[in-house]
Amino acid sequence: MKLKLRIWRQAGPEAAGRMVEYDLDGVSEDMSFLEMLDLLNENLTERNEEPVAFDHDCREGICGMCGVVINGIAHGGSATTTCQLHMRSFSDGATIDIEPWRAGAFPVIKDLAVDRNAFDRIIAAGGFISSNTGSAPEAHSTPVPKREADRAFDNATCIGCGACVAACPNSSAMLFTAAKITHLAMLPQGQPERYRRVKSMVAQHDEEGFGNCTNIGECAAVCPKGIPLESIAQLNRDLIASLFKADGKQ
Amino acid sequence: MTDTITTNQFWAVGEEIEDTKAPKGVDIDKVWKTRQFQARLVNPANRRKLSVIIVGTGLAGGAAAATLGEAGYNVLNFCYQDSPRRAHSIAAQGGINAAKNYRNDNDSTFRLFYDTVKGGDYRARETNVYRLAEVSAKIIDHCVAQGVPFAREYGGLLDTRSFGGVQVQRTFYARGQTGQQLLIGAYQQLERQVAAGTVKMYTRHEMVELIVVDGKARGIVTRNMINGKVETWTADAVVLATGGYGNVFFLSTNAMGCNVTATWRAHRKGAYFGNPCFTQIHPTCIPVHGETQSKLTLMSESLRNDGRIWVPKKAEDCGKDPRQIPEEDRDYYLERIYPAFGNLVPHDIASRQAKKVCDEGRGVGPAVVEVDEDGTERLVRRGVYLDFSDAINRLGQKAVENKYGNLFDMYAQITGENPYEVPMRIYPAVHYTMGGLWVDYDLQSSIPGLYVTGEANFSDHGANRLGASALMQGLADGYFVLSNTINDYLADAPFDKLPEDHPAVAEARDSAQARIDKLLSIQGTRSVDSYHKELGHIMWEYCGMERTEEGLKKAIGLIQNLREDYWSNVRVTGKNEDFNQALERAGRVADFMELGELMCVDALHRRESCGGHFRAESQTPEGEALRHDDEFLYVAAWEWNGEGNVPVLHREPLNYKAIELKQRSYK
C-alpha cells in the first residue's frame, strides 16, 4: 500500500505546530497503525530527519498509552485502540490525517504525544477504596451478586486512554470519571466512601480544566472498551445523592 | 550431553554463595513466620524519617510503593510510562493462582508450592516458593477488598478456573483482563498514597544509573524523558521492580518499552544476575505475520481450558481450510502424548511440541522462508490450530463468548479472521523471563540496600513458570514480602546523610551523561531498531527454544561484533534536551546487547535441559528435556567483572528438603 500521511508536528509544548505531509510506500495491510508509523520513522531516520514522537507501549489494546486522532476521529473510528487498528481498514492511496488528542487539560509534549497526568490526579482525589495491606477480611466474607459484579466489571475495563476527552466537543473527561465511580459504586466494598468519592472526583475533574458533559455521546461512540453513556447518568445520580449525604460533604 | 568445555574463554568461576536470610533448621511451613519474627522492626515514628526509592509501578512496584507508603515511609516512585497505571503487568490476561481450596479439590499451600517448584523444573529456591504459596490467599482477600472485580458465580462467590501444569482449579480471574484489574487495584492504592503525601510519583522518568556509596545502594540517576534532564535522587534504600527483559528478542509479548536498563546498570555496579538464560516461551501467541511486525500478542493460556490444539496428520493437508479436514486426519498431539494433562500441559512442553510438529512440516498458516545453519532456504508454516468448535458445540457460542469474548475479538482484530468460524492459529513466543537480579530470601540483591521484586528478580520461578503465577509473585513481593523484609535493613537507621556533591553521586550522574553524549555523537548510518532486530534474530535463533553448544558460541561472536558496530555506526537523531524516543531506545538496546551476550554464556555453561531451556544435547529417549541434577542443581549468579573481561560464575546450590526431586512428567 501507498499512503499520503498528514501529521501534526510540534517541537514542544510552547512551539507552534503544523501539519506536515509524508508519502509512505510499502505498507502491508497486516500492519497495525503504529507499525505503519514505525515504518515512517525508520524512513525518516534514514533520511536523517527526526522521527515523529508518539506514545505507545503494550500494543495489545490494554495499557491505554497510545492514542491519536485519525481523520478526525479518536483512535480512527472503529471503537478500538490505535495499536489494534490495522492497515486493512484503509485503502491503497489513501490520505490519512494524524493529530494528537486535543484538550486544554492534555497539553502537547511533542508531535502526537500529550500529557494525561490529569487522569491520575482525578483518581488520587478519591478513585479508590481505602483498604490497607493486610487488613482485608476473607474474600468470601462479602458475596457480590453477579449482576452488580458484572456492571462493576464493565466499567472497570476503562483503560484511561483519553479518547473520550479527545472526542468530546467540551473536552470533558466525564466518561472516564464515571467509569471509575460506577465501578466502585456497584460493589459493597465501595459503599463507605461512595458519596465522598463522587464529589471529590468531580471537583478534581473540573479543576483540571475538563469541560462539562452536555450529553453529546461522542465519548461512548469512540470508547475502545465500550463504557456506556449510562455510566455518566450513574455519576450524576450519585453526585445529586451526595448533596444529601453526610459523607458527601467535604 | 556434550563434553565439558575444557579451555574456557567465556567465563571464570568464583566462590559459591548462599542465601543467609531464610532461617535454617525449621520446617518449610515455619520459615516465613520465623523470618518475620526475627527481622528487626522500625517503629512508626522513625519510619517517616526514612526514604525508599522504588523504580517501577507494576504489580510488584506499585503494590510495594502503596504498602510502604501506608507504613509511613517516604517513598519516591519512578516509572518510564506517562502514568503508573500503564505498567506492563496490565497486559496479563489469564489469572492469578491462590491456594484457597474453594473448589474442594484437595488444593493446599503445599500443593501450590509443589506444583510451582515442579513447574519450574526444580530450579527455583524452595523457601521462596513456599512463601509465595503461603501468602497467595491473602492476595485475593486484599484485592477483593480494594474492589478488584474478579469473576463471580451467581451465588456471589468468586469463580475459579484451571491453568496449565496443575490438576486443581485455583486460578482467580477477571475475564481476560486479570492483570489489568489487579494493576488498577494497586494503582488506586498508590494514588491514594500520592494524595496522602507518603508517595511522590515521578512519571516519564527513566532510571539510567544506580548510585552506590560504601558498597550500599543509596540512590538512582534518572533521565527526565520530556526535557532530557539527568537528575540524581538519593534515599536510604532502593527497590527495583522493573519487570523482565524479554524484549532482548525484539519480538516478544512484552510492551515496547520493557527494557533491562535498570537491572543491567545495577548489575554493572555489583548486583549478581541470576539465571539470565531462563526465558519462558509461551505457547499460545498469534503467529508472526511479517518482517515489519513490532511485537507478538499473547492469547491467554486460559483458552487451553476449552480449546483443543491440533495439526493435520498429513503434511499435504496443511494448506487446506481446517474445516475441510476430517476428524480422523487431525492430530490432537498434546492429548495423544500427554493424556493426563492434555491441552493443559505446562508452557515449555506445549511450546516445544508445537515447534516439533512445525519442524516436521505439519504446521499451518502462511509458509515463511527460513534459512538453515548451512545456508539452505526452506518454506515452513509456523502455526498450530487452537480449535473451539467442540466447545462451541458443547457449551454454545454464547457461553464461549462470555468466557473468552474479548480474546476472540482481539484475535479477529489482529488477524482479520473470525475465530468462532475458523480455528485460531497460535505459535510460541517469548513471554516472561525467569532470570533476573539475584536476591536472598529478603529480596535483597548482592548490593546491600538494593532490593529487587517481581519479574526483575530471579527467585520464584525456576527454569520455567506455570501460568497465573507471575501475577501472584508480583503482588506477593509487593504487598506482603518486601514490606516485611526491608524493615530489617532500614532498622540500621539513621544512615549517613548523603550530600549532592558526594563523589559517588557525581560519578553516577557523569557516567550516565557521558553515555547519552556518546550515543548522540556517533551519528552513524543505521537506526537503533535495525540493530535491535538483528540482535533479536540472533537470540531467537541460538538462545531461543532450542540451544546447542555450537550455536551459542556462534551467537556470542555475532553479538560481540554487532555491539562493536553499534558503538561506531548507530544513528541517534535529535538531542538530549528534548522528548527523544530514539535516544531512549538507543540506551536500552545498548544494554540489551550486553545482556544478550551474558544470556548466551549462561545458556552455554548450563549443559542440561530444563524448563524453557532446551539443550539439544541433553534429552531423554522420548525427546523430553533431561536435567542433570548431579551437576546443575544450582542458581547461576553472574558477577560483572569489568568491561572486556569474562563474567564470574557464582553458584548457589539449591537444597530441596520438602520436595523430592523427580524427572518432570505430565504423561
Side-chain angles (χ1 to χ4, degrees):
Chain A
M1 286 167 80
K2 245 186 181 150
L3 300 170
K4 188 174 281 301
L5 304 172
R6 299 197 302 175
I7 303 180
W8 184 260
R9 302 297 308 252
Q10 183 174 341
E14 308 303 328
R18 64 191 178 97
M19 296 297 273
V20 178
E21 262 186 37
Y22 300 96
D23 288 315
L24 185 62
D25 201 355
V27 176
S28 106
E29 61 170 24
D30 285 331
M31 282 182 180
S32 70
F33 197 84
L34 299 183
E35 285 166 354
M36 183 274 292
L37 287 177
D38 289 341
L39 183 67
L40 171 74
N41 278 347
E42 281 294 288
N43 292 357
L44 289 176
T45 307
E46 247 167 57
R47 282 160 31 194
N48 220 357
E49 287 176 43
E50 252 201 85
V52 178
F54 63 95
D55 270 326
H56 64 97
D57 203 16
C58 80
R59 298 203 175 191
E60 288 186 24
I62 193 76
C63 78
M65 188 137 170
C66 68
V68 288
V69 174
I70 302 164
N71 290 335
I73 301 174
H75 290 305
S78 44
T80 185
T81 54
T82 306
C83 65
Q84 296 297 292
L85 178 68
H86 285 72
M87 296 315 292
R88 67 179 74 90
S89 318
F90 299 87
S91 47
D92 193 14
T95 299
I96 306 176
D97 286 356
I98 310 170
E99 296 164 89
W101 286 165
R102 293 199 188 283
F106 286 169
V108 171
I109 294 170
K110 186 175 175 178
D111 298 338
L112 303 172
V114 301
D115 177 353
R116 284 164 290 188
N117 282 150
F119 275 12
D120 295 331
R121 292 187 290 268
I122 292 175
I123 298 294
F128 47 74
I129 288 168
S130 300
S131 169
N132 285 347
T133 309
S135 62
E138 212 289 325
H140 268 178
S141 58
T142 318
V144 183
K146 192 166 187 320
R147 206 173 139 267
E148 276 78 21
D150 285 348
R151 182 143 183 247
F153 204 136
D154 290 339
N155 283 277
T157 57
C158 169
I159 56 174
C161 64
C164 46
V165 177
C168 177
N170 306 329
S171 298
S172 172
M174 214 55 106
L175 194 68
F176 166 81
T177 310
K180 182 52 46 191
I181 280 164
T182 310
H183 161 204
L184 297 177
M186 291 303 112
L187 297 170
Q189 296 88 331
Q191 298 312 308
E193 295 164 294
R194 180 171 182 173
Y195 297 102
R196 192 166 175 265
R197 174 183 307 123
V198 65
K199 251 190 138 168
S200 55
M201 284 181 78
V202 169
Q204 187 66 36
H205 169 278
D206 295 347
E207 194 175 309
E208 294 293 342
F210 293 108
N212 216 329
C213 174
T214 50
N215 286 317
I216 290 164
E218 286 292 328
C219 52
V222 298
C223 176
K225 298 297 154 183
I227 307 292
L229 206 53
E230 69 192 39
S231 300
I232 297 181
Q234 182 68 50
L235 176 147
N236 286 328
R237 280 198 296 277
D238 276 18
L239 188 62
I240 291 165
S242 75
L243 302 174
F244 305 98
K245 304 272 181 182
D247 72 341
K249 299 215 175 77
Q250 288 182 334
Chain B
M1 208 166 68
T2 55
D3 296 322
T4 311
I5 301 164
T6 42
T7 50
N8 191 350
Q9 80 241 46
F10 297 102
W11 68 85
V13 176
E15 277 173 23
E16 267 191 11
I17 54 170
E18 65 167 330
D19 162 31
T20 55
K21 301 285 177 52
K24 302 213 168 25
V26 291
D27 289 341
I28 191 109
D29 59 340
K30 302 283 185 318
V31 173
W32 179 225
K33 288 183 187 79
T34 309
R35 179 63 193 146
Q36 279 181 292
F37 181 72
Q38 286 174 352
R40 291 169 299 161
L41 303 176
V42 179
N43 99 48
N46 286 338
R47 291 179 208 157
R48 71 177 82 99
K49 298 177 202 154
L50 291 164
S51 58
V52 181
I53 284 170
I54 299 179
V55 187
T57 56
L59 291 182
T67 302
L68 292 181
E70 281 165 14
Y73 293 109
N74 295 298
V75 178
L76 286 78
N77 197 186
F78 296 83
C79 70
Y80 73 78
Q81 295 92 345
D82 73 328
S83 160
R85 69 176 294 146
R86 315 228 193 264
H88 196 54
S89 307
I90 205 161
Q93 297 164 350
I96 177 167
N97 287 334
K100 283 281 202 184
N101 197 29
Y102 282 166
R103 291 280 168 181
N104 192 31
D105 53 8
N106 280 349
D107 200 7
S108 62
T109 298
F110 196 88
R111 192 178 297 274
L112 174 51
F113 157 64
Y114 176 87
D115 287 344
T116 308
V117 172
K118 177 185 169 195
D121 221 347
Y122 305 93
R123 292 293 176 268
R125 194 189 283 145
E126 191 181 72
T127 47
N128 284 60
V129 178
Y130 193 90
R131 175 176 63 191
L132 176 67
E134 219 174 341
V135 302
S136 65
K138 285 172 78 174
I139 296 172
I140 305 300
D141 298 339
H142 183 46
C143 293
V144 165
Q146 293 169 0
V148 169
F150 284 115
R152 287 182 184 264
E153 296 176 328
Y154 281 100
L157 302 181
L158 295 158
D159 196 7
T160 55
R161 60 187 174 195
S162 192
F163 256 61
V166 303
Q167 290 171 309
V168 294
Q169 209 171 319
R170 64 161 75 99
T171 306
F172 294 79
Y173 68 102
R175 284 185 205 151
Q177 315 161 5
T178 315
Q180 185 202 12
Q181 295 307 329
L182 294 173
L183 181 70
I184 295 295
Y187 157 75
Q188 288 168 192
Q189 296 309 311
L190 176 63
E191 290 299 335
R192 180 166 72 103
Q193 293 309 309
V194 169
T198 60
V199 176
K200 288 209 170 55
M201 186 69 232
Y202 301 90
T203 59
R204 293 197 198 263
H205 278 66
E206 178 156 48
M207 169 177 161
V208 288
E209 199 50 85
L210 180 74
I211 297 171
V212 179
V213 179
D214 301 330
K216 289 180 179 163
R218 289 301 303 272
I220 61 170
V221 182
T222 59
R223 179 176 177 275
N224 180 326
M225 292 155 72
I226 293 180
N227 57 24
K229 247 188 182 170
V230 175
E231 290 167 295
T232 56
W233 309 85
T234 58
D236 299 308
V238 176
V239 181
L240 300 185
T242 49
Y245 48 82
N247 272 348
V248 69
F249 292 89
F250 186 73
L251 280 183
S252 82
T253 64
N254 288 10
M256 297 296 282
C258 291
N259 66 85
V260 77
T261 291
T263 52
W264 191 254
R265 295 284 115 198
H267 172 60
R268 289 178 59 119
K269 280 276 167 81
Y272 294 173
F273 212 112
N275 298 334
C277 81
F278 285 168
T279 307
Q280 182 195 34
I281 313 287
H282 201 291
T284 49
C285 303
I286 299 178
V288 176
H289 62 66
E291 269 299 297
T292 51
Q293 192 160 355
S294 61
K295 80 156 285 159
L296 297 171
T297 302
L298 182 93
M299 300 300 295
S300 166
E301 168 174 340
S302 65
L303 292 169
R304 291 197 280 150
N305 266 306
D306 287 303
R308 297 180 68 196
I309 294 173
W310 63 276
V311 290
K313 280 184 181 160
K314 296 177 282 191
E316 57 268 29
D317 282 353
C318 290
K320 280 190 188 164
D321 182 332
R323 290 167 295 186
Q324 309 302 327
I325 301 172
E327 199 62 26
E328 63 269 21
D329 289 337
R330 300 175 176 192
D331 180 11
Y332 296 91
Y333 57 90
L334 290 177
E335 298 171 32
R336 173 170 58 80
I337 309 172
Y338 307 98
F341 283 77
N343 293 300
L344 285 174
V345 291
H347 295 144
D348 59 319
I349 292 178
S351 299
R352 202 149 47 240
Q353 290 299 342
K355 179 175 186 293
K356 223 173 179 173
V357 294
C358 294
D359 288 344
E360 286 168 19
R362 295 195 289 139
V364 298
V368 291
V369 180
E370 285 184 9
V371 187
D372 276 339
E373 283 218 29
D374 57 8
T376 50
E377 287 190 358
R378 63 201 162 102
L379 281 171
V380 191
R381 295 175 197 272
R382 291 279 171 205
V384 300
Y385 288 124
L386 176 62
D387 194 343
F388 277 79
S389 51
D390 273 8
I392 292 172
N393 288 338
R394 184 169 34 116
L395 309 164
Q397 179 160 334
K398 190 80 209 148
V400 171
E401 247 177 77
N402 280 344
K403 268 174 135 169
Y404 309 112
N406 65 316
L407 299 169
F408 276 52
D409 293 348
M410 185 173 82
Y411 181 86
Q413 188 87 32
I414 292 171
T415 62
E417 290 172 12
N418 180 352
Y420 291 103
E421 284 170 9
V422 191
M424 294 182 184
R425 286 176 294 111
I426 55 166
Y427 197 69
V430 170
H431 182 52
Y432 190 92
T433 45
M434 281 81 60
L437 292 184
W438 182 88
V439 289
D440 63 19
Y441 190 68
D442 278 4
L443 305 181
Q444 184 172 246
S445 72
S446 52
I447 301 175
L450 179 70
Y451 287 76
V452 191
T453 60
E455 192 180 352
N457 76 31
F458 88 99
S459 67
D460 294 8
H461 297 297
N464 188 44
R465 166 185 93 75
L466 294 180
S469 62
L471 299 185
M472 177 170 63
Q473 191 208 348
L475 289 180
D477 285 0
Y479 285 133
F480 296 106
V481 178
L482 183 81
S483 49
N484 285 294
T485 57
I486 201 170
N487 299 319
D488 188 62
Y489 178 81
L490 293 171
D492 282 335
F495 297 89
D496 293 341
K497 190 99 184 85
L498 195 58
E500 267 290 295
D501 58 354
H502 188 282
V505 177
E507 183 277 324
R509 183 180 46 229
D510 295 347
S511 70
Q513 184 68 55
R515 224 166 105 76
I516 291 168
D517 295 344
K518 169 77 183 155
L519 285 168
L520 285 165
S521 71
I522 298 167
Q523 295 289 328
T525 57
R526 271 185 74 179
S527 73
V528 174
D529 271 18
S530 74
Y531 282 100
H532 195 175
K533 279 184 190 174
E534 190 173 337
L535 173 70
H537 278 301
I538 298 170
M539 295 302 294
W540 180 243
E541 189 61 34
Y542 301 108
C543 198
M545 289 172 72
E546 194 170 318
R547 304 145 183 205
T548 63
E549 175 163 336
E550 201 191 342
L552 288 163
K553 285 180 176 166
K554 185 173 171 189
I556 291 169
L558 290 172
I559 295 170
Q560 287 172 345
N561 292 343
L562 188 69
R563 204 169 61 219
E564 204 175 308
D565 190 60
Y566 186 80
W567 285 102
S568 61
N569 196 29
V570 73
R571 171 178 290 172
V572 185
T573 50
K575 55 179 191 202
N576 174 53
E577 294 72 23
D578 193 7
F579 189 72
N580 186 341
Q581 294 172 316
L583 177 62
E584 290 161 18
R585 283 198 298 273
R588 295 169 189 168
V589 171
D591 289 335
F592 274 138
M593 287 201 253
E594 292 184 358
L595 166 79
E597 188 180 339
L598 184 67
M599 287 170 74
C600 292
V601 170
D602 186 41
L604 180 64
H605 107 280
R606 191 170 281 274
R607 290 171 297 108
E608 66 164 350
S609 296
C610 55
H613 170 111
F614 190 78
R615 273 294 282 266
E617 302 96 333
S618 179
Q619 45 186 307
T620 65
E622 298 91 55
E624 303 283 356
L626 180 64
R627 293 196 323 261
H628 293 288
D629 294 337
D630 48 339
E631 285 183 83
F632 295 103
L633 192 58
Y634 60 76
V635 174
W638 295 94
E639 182 187 358
W640 175 258
N641 197 17
E643 200 107 34
N645 299 325
V646 295
V648 180
L649 170 66
H650 297 274
R651 297 184 178 95
E652 182 206 333
L654 289 166
N655 301 305
Y656 289 99
K657 291 184 185 142
I659 283 188
E660 185 197 347
L661 283 158
K662 278 188 193 158
Q663 178 66 27
R664 237 161 118 227
S665 171
Y666 292 89
K667 284 193 171 158

